[in-house]
Amino acid sequence: MGSWHLSLRAERPVEGCEVGALAYLYQKSLKKKAGIPSEPPQPPPPPASEYELKFRWLRGPEAPLCNYAKCPVANNFSPLVWSGHARKNAVALQCVDDAMLRRMQLPQSSPAHAVFCSSGCLNNAWADRLAHSSGSDKGGDVAERAAGSGKGIHGEEAAADSRNSSDGSGSGNRKSRRADSLSSILRGISDNTENGCGQNNKGDNGDSALGAGSGWVEVCSTQAFTPKAADVGRRFRLECSAVNLDGSLLFGPRAIKLEPVLSTPPATPKRPVLAVKGASSGGGYRFRILSYNLLSEIYATQQMYGHCDFWALAWGYRLPNLLRELKDCAADVLCLQEVQHDHYERDVKPWLNEHGFDGLYKQKTREAMGRPGKVDGCAVFWRRSKFRLAEHYAVEFNACARTLAQAIAHSEDHEREILNRLMKDNVGLVTVLEVLLPGNSQQRNRQERRMGPLLVAVANTHLYSNKDFPDVKLWQCLSLIRELEQLVLARDLPLVICGDFNSVPSSAVYELLATRRVREEHPDLNEDALRVLPHTAQELSHALDLVSAYQSVAGEEPPYTNYTTGFKGVLDYIWCSQQHIRPLAVAPVPKEEALQKAGAALPNVQYSSDHIMLCADLQLGGTVNPQASHSHNHQMAQQQQQQQQQQQQLQPPPPPPPP
């Protein structure tokens, strides 16, 4: 085998977003020329348990993102400006080393290269150098040399085009020679970019660490680093060495250079609230609930979301954005889907605990994808000042599938077919929350002795995603409903069901939830080749009287809750038992123009999930009159469109009245 190599990469650094170093030591293949080894074989590196990786993060001087002085975005470090979507008409960063800078008579930088945001800015810098060069050149001759450079991507004229081919063959030859000179520089750009003069996340071939007095200062020695506001606009260098357990150097150091640190990602715009008429009356206990698919890291890949910048898909970048959205919503109950297990334990749960929430988690019933913790699931959180946990239950659809297969299969092959069709590892999480009524503990105790505790059941689920399995989604939904019927009907418990149902409003899943049954002629039933669903319309029904919060308040579902390049539609819902709960208000989803400012689809540098958070204000108890609210739905939707400027911003719901 060949020589050793230390692979090292890191995402683009952004203020407030953790950037981690990914490194490992491996052995390259033996180099050969004409089939003959050109280097002596090397022993393999020791196992990872016999050495450790040491990291150094070094901060360099401030550096513009473009060395063309007139570039309008040279010192703008917003991710919105430097995303691939914002720069779709530009090209990759252009790198010019020290030798090229001397030829262009541009100021030399440290490190010894300059970065231009596009070939247009490089052309303009070259033209400016020609236009301002001193010496024996005459004014007209300078203009001739500048004329060939054209326009940059920012729409600026590089130089006057006052002299053209009419100046004679001599002038044309001079222009041709100088154009060739610039072309030779441009031809060398791609090689320099590959060698690390831009965002060289794979490392440069030098492998050497920076020496003393280079102007770089070590700021961190851990594997992960979170840039601060003072780091914005500065370049960083990451070094890694493989060190034996006795402290001696095994291999390295390896070094890579990163692009300048970008500023904090912009917050998503505040969303207005659409409220029903008379939302301020009716009494009861009021609370806000949200449902949000966070997009697990294991699914956030360039293959799935090629429109999004790679660094904007990293969990370290998306986490602050997602947490900021949760905080801005000011909800009292949070139903989250696609929460990765390791991120739940390390990031989401600690942050929400610190902000006054308790919660539960149920991961999917499958093995982790790679390292431990790389499996997603559902989480429910509640504000501990308003609720406390009374009961909780998990629904594993795989277990339901085994029970069904044993009951209806007429052979081992049939049972195997049923299990292969139904076992998709999806889960549901059901909590029963006790409302903490206003007042001191003695007042609450008297209220509970007189009326009993005020309880509400909250269910959260994530159904199977494949569009070619509508029968499986319907079976999963029906299985969840059967569990909820046993829990809430005998006790007359109020119920809220949130989740990513992966089903559009025309689906059998939606019809089952909204109408309590599914028509026998529904096309989704044609996919039930194994006959796992109930055979009659009476059996394919339920007794839960549910209403969609968005349908109840706005008169229709949102135009979309999932917005990707391949699909734009409604998959997420908030349902509640309308005999107990009155939907008061919902937050309409952002308009397409707002979503597309930061990218062609979701996720992008501003919206960090492919789903849009749903949020609703609900009234538990008091005067619950769904028929009255339904009669105003269409009229309220029209009035709200005409008076958008008067819509209130998303604020916490008003406190409940005293008992």
Side-chain angles (χ1 to χ4, degrees), residues 503-505 507-515 548 551 557 573 575:
S503 304
V504 297
S507 67
V509 168
Y510 188 93
E511 187 170 303
L512 177 65
L513 291 165
T515 68
S548 164
Q551 174 70 36
E557 298 294 348
Y573 306 94
W575 301 89

Side-chain angles (χ1 to χ4, degrees), residues 168-185:
S169 59
S171 174
N173 290 337
R174 285 195 298 271
K175 288 173 61 178
S176 176
R177 287 195 299 271
R178 283 160 185 130
D180 290 342
S181 177
L182 178 56
S183 297
S184 67
I185 291 179

Side-chain angles (χ1 to χ4, degrees), residues 508 511 517-526 531 534-540:
E511 187 170 303
R517 66 182 187 88
V518 179
R519 293 171 288 117
E520 292 183 0
E521 63 274 15
H522 197 287
D524 286 356
L525 300 183
N526 297 332
R531 305 287 286 173
H535 300 164
T536 67
Q538 184 176 0
E539 293 177 303
L540 194 53

Side-chain angles (χ1 to χ4, degrees), residues 329-350:
C329 182
D332 304 306
V333 179
L334 288 67
C335 293
L336 308 176
Q337 305 88 41
E338 280 195 30
V339 184
Q340 198 164 288
H341 184 225
D342 56 343
H343 295 156
Y344 171 82
E345 295 291 347
R346 188 190 69 190
D347 303 317
V348 179
K349 180 182 177 182

Side-chain angles (χ1 to χ4, degrees), residues 154-207:
H154 308 298
E156 297 178 88
E157 289 289 345
D161 195 15
S162 58
R163 297 179 183 264
N164 212 323
S165 56
S166 60
D167 286 341
S169 59
S171 174
N173 290 337
R174 285 195 298 271
K175 288 173 61 178
S176 176
R177 287 195 299 271
R178 283 160 185 130
D180 290 342
S181 177
L182 178 56
S183 297
S184 67
I185 291 179
L186 292 173
R187 281 196 298 270
I189 285 170
S190 60
D191 296 333
N192 280 301
T193 304
E194 291 298 324
N195 286 335
C197 292
Q199 185 182 2
N200 181 12
N201 288 345
K202 294 184 179 179
D204 57 282
N205 296 325
D207 277 355

